[in-house]
Amino acid sequence: MIRRKWPAAGVGVLLAALSAGLAFPSTAAAGEPTGRDAPQVDLVLDVSGSMRTRDIDGQSRMAAAKQAFNEVLDATPEEVELGIRTLGADYPGDDRKEGCKDTAQLYPVGPLDRTEAKTAVATLSPTGWTPIGPALLEAAGDFKGGDGSRRIVLISDGEDTCAPLDPCEVAREIAAKGIGLTIDTLGLVPNAELSRQLSCIAEATGGTYTSVEHQDELADRVNELVDRAAEPVVTPVATEGGASCAKAPTLESGLFTDREEFGQQRWYRVDVLPGQELRASVSVAADRAVNPDYGVLLRAVTVHSREIVRGEATGNGRTDVLSAGLRYPKPERDDDGGDDEGKPAAETVCLAVTHSFSPGSGVKTTPGLPLELTIDVVDGPSGSSDVASFGLGRGWWLLGALVLTGFLAGLVWGRLSRWRLAVWRTS
């Protein structure tokens, strides 16, 4: 069973796809991939004592993980730099303090030597505790710099045993740094509490959680995630919205990330020329427990506070990401005098983002919820004269033709029915 969640903070493009069906062609520099640096993946493997359990295809969890890792190492694309980190692999004692330090880099993130990596994996033996939180903290520092994608794949058969260092909080802190690091998680036991914790970790960074119960499923899923790291991605650009339109940053087309506190409103500015169309969408992710019944509102207003158009969405607690989108085609005007050089004058459109999420009892309110904003300014449809021109557009003609056809068909059918009835009565 695969469960996929799409939060914000670094996962960029997929959240844009949720935004009211709007498609945004890549037309600007902000957020575009450069392709200069290799994608990096850090596989984090649980080697705690419980991995001795023999419940995966007649073999131990550790044996299944080793076999899956060998298949993954064979299939890793040449362009991917891969590393392996362990947790619970070295300390066999009962001292909790020492057990919670037990995480080590088995193979450094870098160009892959398959033989060397397989040899390192072969030495592993189930040993100690399950310090997931400490391991994630260390794994976040395993990566080298650069603009390539970075992904942690965590495989575990049990919950973290090193509270109060909550792995979910660790994942949220990593996401809040804005370093574009995604954490995917895989659970080897169909346990509700483990599923909850691993889902929370993944959702905080826009990753996925998967429950696997067979060795081939584990190998296939890890291979899929490694391959995904090699795919070209759009890296979101971190920005900070203003408290008002006057204090807002001016953004161009691209993908942007921000954080919005509970009860806060974020403002952004976009310049739109006559004849262009502004397309914008926003996604807000609940990366912690929130109360049910919430909404997201995206408004486009003028600098004089007149609302142009809005997009909104509501949720009832069943979704972790809520998205809203809008479109604003700015019509061409014959009376637009332009600037001093005769160029058409751009209109500054203010985008206001508001959400009505409220934190659950005892939940931290900082940092704010991850927010992802997609902006695209494109040439508008020719002949657009006002905001109402989008929507059905020329579809109104088709709708009218369908209505007329239905009306005429009804008249014909009615007359045929009367004629048949008259014939039946006289026969």
Side-chain angles (χ1 to χ4, degrees), residues 156-234:
S156 179
D157 72 336
E159 304 160 54
D160 179 271
T161 55
C162 292
L165 185 59
D166 186 349
C168 288
E169 291 298 327
V170 171
R172 289 169 188 148
E173 290 174 10
I174 291 172
K177 292 178 181 178
I179 58 177
L181 175 58
T182 302
I183 303 175
D184 296 290
T185 58
L186 292 89
L188 302 182
V189 177
N191 175 282
E193 200 58 33
L194 173 64
S195 173
R196 183 199 63 78
Q197 187 172 85
L198 294 184
S199 294
C200 180
I201 292 169
E203 290 163 8
T205 62
T208 59
Y209 162 70
T210 308
S211 175
V212 296
E213 299 180 42
H214 300 281
Q215 182 270 323
D216 58 343
E217 292 177 348
L218 177 60
D220 289 347
R221 183 58 177 154
V222 177
N223 269 325
E224 180 184 340
L225 294 171
V226 172
D227 289 342
R228 183 178 297 174
E231 296 174 357
V233 296
V234 176

